[in-house]
Amino acid sequence: NAGVTQTPKFQVLKTGQSMTLQCAQDMNHEYMSWYRQDPGMGLRLIHYSVGAGITDQGEVPNGYNVSRSTTEDFPLRLLSAAPSQTSVYFCASSASGGSTDTQYFGPGTRLTVL
Amino acid sequence: GDSVTQMEGPVTLSEEAFLTINCTYTATGYPSLFWYVQYPGEGLQLLLKATKADDKGSNKGFEATYRKETTSFHLEKGSVQVSDSAVYFCALRKKNSNYQLIWGAGTKLIIKP
């Protein structure tokens, strides 16, 4: 049981490049989400999904796309990278969207945009 | 809007000292409250949680009590170890919240031997 996995661990992009951050979970969780973590700001929700085929925007969705074709995978796409997207990105999953539910996090992807 | 405020870090303590990390929140209704911990180079993991007023969450020697009257959820540990060095995040989730957690900025804890 690997939990939540993310690839790559580190990535450097040039402004304007696109890329996909991968996220997968093997716990059969319905709910998955993407956060970015910036110094002094805690975590901010980018996009989330309540099940395969269903996605919605979080607090800071601009510049990012997501899709959920399977329960296991939830990739995050940067369409045209900007320096403001330099951050650490975390994927998380949980069994349901209940208010008491525990979220399980991946190890993160550290992205630098030059 | 809803928010979570944590004490600024870093907090530096000697081993076996008593730890308190303050967390206060602003929210309507009765949210669930969480403490997550992030060890160096790792993702966040749940440390403890409380889902209603006066509940006490506890794990690994850490504990926090949901205080509705002071809208607080302070994290405490009686005797810290070097291995407790990490960043600690307080968060809330409202019922019917559309899945979103509201996070504090995090408090870095450094324990010196």
Side-chain angles (χ1 to χ4, degrees), chain A residues 31-33 35 37 40-43 45 48 56 59 90 92-94 96-103 105-107, chain B residues 32 34 36 38 41-46 49 51 87 89 93-106:
Chain A
Y31 288 75
M32 297 185 74
S33 57
Y35 293 91
Q37 182 184 30
M41 299 189 70
L43 278 73
L45 184 66
Y48 66 96
D56 207 345
E59 181 184 357
F90 288 101
S93 73
S94 64
S96 71
S99 63
T100 63
D101 202 31
T102 299
Q103 291 199 39
F105 284 81
Chain B
S32 296
F34 303 82
Y36 279 79
Q38 183 181 26
E42 299 183 12
L44 284 74
Q45 56 185 275
L46 179 68
K49 64 183 180 183
T51 60
V87 181
F89 291 90
R93 179 188 282 171
K94 292 169 66 174
K95 295 169 176 60
N96 303 317
S97 68
N98 202 25
Y99 187 54
Q100 186 166 351
L101 279 161
I102 308 297
W103 296 86

Side-chain angles (χ1 to χ4, degrees), chain B residues 4-113:
Chain B
V4 175
T5 302
Q6 293 181 233
M7 62 189 295
E8 285 191 28
V11 173
T12 303
L13 296 172
S14 297
E15 208 166 18
E16 299 184 3
F18 185 86
L19 169 71
T20 300
I21 299 178
N22 291 338
C23 171
T24 57
Y25 68 90
T26 302
T28 57
Y30 302 94
S32 296
L33 301 174
F34 303 82
W35 277 102
Y36 279 79
V37 58
Q38 183 181 26
Y39 297 104
E42 299 183 12
L44 284 74
Q45 56 185 275
L46 179 68
L47 181 60
L48 54 84
K49 64 183 180 183
T51 60
K52 59 183 187 297
D54 300 324
D55 265 3
K56 177 183 284 188
S58 62
N59 186 25
K60 299 181 180 179
F62 291 89
E63 57 183 34
T65 301
Y66 189 139
R67 301 283 188 202
K68 177 176 172 294
E69 62 277 11
T70 55
T71 62
S72 65
F73 193 54
H74 303 322
L75 183 68
E76 297 181 335
K77 187 175 185 183
S79 176
V80 293
Q81 307 300 314
V82 172
S83 57
D84 293 326
S85 298
V87 181
Y88 292 82
F89 291 90
C90 185
L92 71 82
R93 179 188 282 171
K94 292 169 66 174
K95 295 169 176 60
N96 303 317
S97 68
N98 202 25
Y99 187 54
Q100 186 166 351
L101 279 161
I102 308 297
W103 296 86
T107 302
K108 184 173 184 177
L109 175 65
I110 300 169
I111 306 300
K112 297 190 172 182

